[in-house]
């Protein structure tokens, strides 16, 4: 098994301040900024948290990688990841952290970040289901564009273009696309799971992820058509009710 390096050896500039939180505060001070950081007692050299003035922003922290020099920033809103990005330069983090802390918009945070940080989701302060579903679709579309997997991107775009599927909450397991009427776990009963081919092959249709194969089709349009035909009537009604309530 590969030996994990001592964090003090991998991050000597952090060890000099005894915690990642203190190192980030010192780095921010060099830039004329003040950061409210808190060290994590269980792993002070590799983990630090921060709190936003916006109540629905939470789960905000920076982590250091264990085997190579890099840091990742994470920020969630109403239990959904909004910002996430990695950098090898500690000096790139303070402006991003401060934007999140001070309530800057996601677009403003992305502009301030010299590395990719926004997930594609948009914040839904009141957590209403229709807006959360729309936000998740935006994340899925961005994720598909970034995946370097043309067949998968084509499937996500085709599913999003279908109004009956677009009203449902999209989620993936091992890259297989499924749908739910609710954006909160536990999801509604699965009625389809679609696997995308890599290179050659077709789109594999199952009732749930890793279930028995029902059929295989050659195009995303065919897969979407089967998905629509398999939507249970009660799910169609529920999704229509959610759309009507939030319109």
């Amino acid at each position: 098994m590969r030996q994990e390096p001592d964090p003090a050896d991998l991050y000597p500039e952090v060890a000099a301040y005894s915690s990642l939180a203190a190192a980030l505060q010192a780095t921010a001070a060099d830039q004329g900024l003040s950061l409210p950081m808190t060290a994590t007692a269980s792993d002070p050299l590799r983990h630090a948290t921060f709190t936003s003035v916006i109540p629905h922003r939470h789960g905000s922290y920076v982590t250091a990688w264990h085997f190579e020099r890099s840091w990742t920033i994470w920020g969630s809103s109403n239990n959904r990841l909004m910002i996430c990005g990695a950098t090898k330069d500690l000096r790139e983090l303070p402006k991003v952290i401060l934007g999140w802390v001070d309530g800057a918009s996601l677009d403003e945070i992305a502009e301030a970040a010299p590395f990719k940080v926004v997930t594609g989701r948009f914040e839904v302060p009141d957590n209403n289901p229709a807006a959360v579903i729309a936000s998740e679709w935006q994340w899925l579309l961005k994720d598909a564009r970034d995946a370097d997997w043309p067949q998968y991107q084509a499937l996500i775009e085709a599913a999003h273009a279908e109004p009956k599927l677009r009203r449902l909450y999209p989620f993936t397991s091992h890259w297989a696309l499924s749908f739910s009427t609710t954006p909160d776990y536990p999801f509604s009963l699965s009625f389809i799971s679609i696997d995308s081919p890599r290179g050659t092959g077709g789109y594999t249709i199952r009732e749930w992820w890793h279930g028995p194969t029902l059929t295989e089709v050659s195009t995303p349009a065919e897969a979407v058509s089967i998905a629509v035909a398999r939507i249970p009537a009660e799910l169609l009604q529920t999704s229509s009710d959610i759309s009507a309530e939030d319109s």
Side-chain angles (χ1 to χ4, degrees):
M1 181 180 292
R2 183 181 174 188
Q3 181 66 38
E4 182 179 312
D6 188 316
D9 295 334
L10 195 57
Y11 302 102
E13 75 277 43
V14 173
Y17 287 97
S18 299
S19 74
L20 177 56
L24 281 165
Q25 287 175 317
T27 302
D30 289 342
Q31 300 173 13
L33 306 174
S34 177
L35 288 182
M37 304 295 303
T38 302
T40 302
S42 60
D43 196 356
L45 297 186
R46 291 185 298 205
H47 198 281
T49 63
F50 48 95
T51 302
S52 176
V53 298
I54 297 180
H56 59 263
R57 287 184 176 178
H58 55 84
S60 312
Y61 54 94
V62 175
T63 57
W65 295 18
H66 284 227
F67 289 95
E68 61 180 278
R69 281 179 56 85
S70 192
W71 293 272
T72 300
I73 182 171
W74 310 79
S76 296
S77 173
N78 283 338
N79 297 314
R80 290 176 176 83
L81 190 64
M82 294 291 141
I83 62 170
C84 181
T87 177
K88 296 183 181 299
D89 189 344
L90 197 69
R91 296 169 298 179
E92 293 183 341
L93 288 168
K95 286 185 178 179
V96 181
I97 294 171
L98 195 61
W100 181 263
V101 166
D102 286 349
S105 70
L106 297 180
D107 286 342
E108 290 170 332
I109 292 171
E111 281 183 27
F115 56 98
K116 289 184 179 180
V117 69
V118 293
T119 63
R121 293 182 176 96
F122 57 83
E123 290 188 279
V124 185
D126 63 358
N127 218 19
N128 84 70
V132 170
I133 288 170
S135 173
E136 198 67 13
W137 273 112
Q138 291 308 302
W139 168 77
L140 205 60
L141 288 165
K142 179 181 182 298
D143 186 57
R145 290 192 295 269
D146 293 342
D148 192 27
W149 186 352
Q151 296 90 344
Y152 177 72
Q153 180 180 346
L155 172 64
I156 300 302
E157 291 176 348
H160 179 258
E162 168 51 57
K164 290 180 180 179
L165 295 179
R166 194 167 60 242
R167 290 200 299 266
L168 300 173
Y169 182 79
F171 65 95
T172 58
S173 178
H174 297 73
W175 297 92
L177 177 64
S178 298
F179 307 91
S180 172
T181 54
T182 172
D184 299 311
Y185 193 81
F187 298 136
S188 56
L189 192 64
S190 178
F191 62 91
I192 196 165
S193 175
I194 308 172
D195 274 317
S196 302
R198 281 193 180 272
T200 59
Y203 292 84
T204 303
I205 309 297
R206 298 181 172 90
E207 188 171 354
W208 61 86
W209 177 78
H210 213 51
T213 298
L214 300 177
T215 188
E216 186 175 292
V217 294
S218 59
T219 69
E222 292 173 285
V224 166
S225 178
I226 292 172
V228 171
R230 289 183 61 85
I231 302 175
E234 60 270 24
L235 294 196
L236 277 177
Q237 181 60 47
T238 302
S239 65
S240 298
D241 291 344
I242 290 173
S243 299
E245 290 171 5
D246 295 298
S247 60

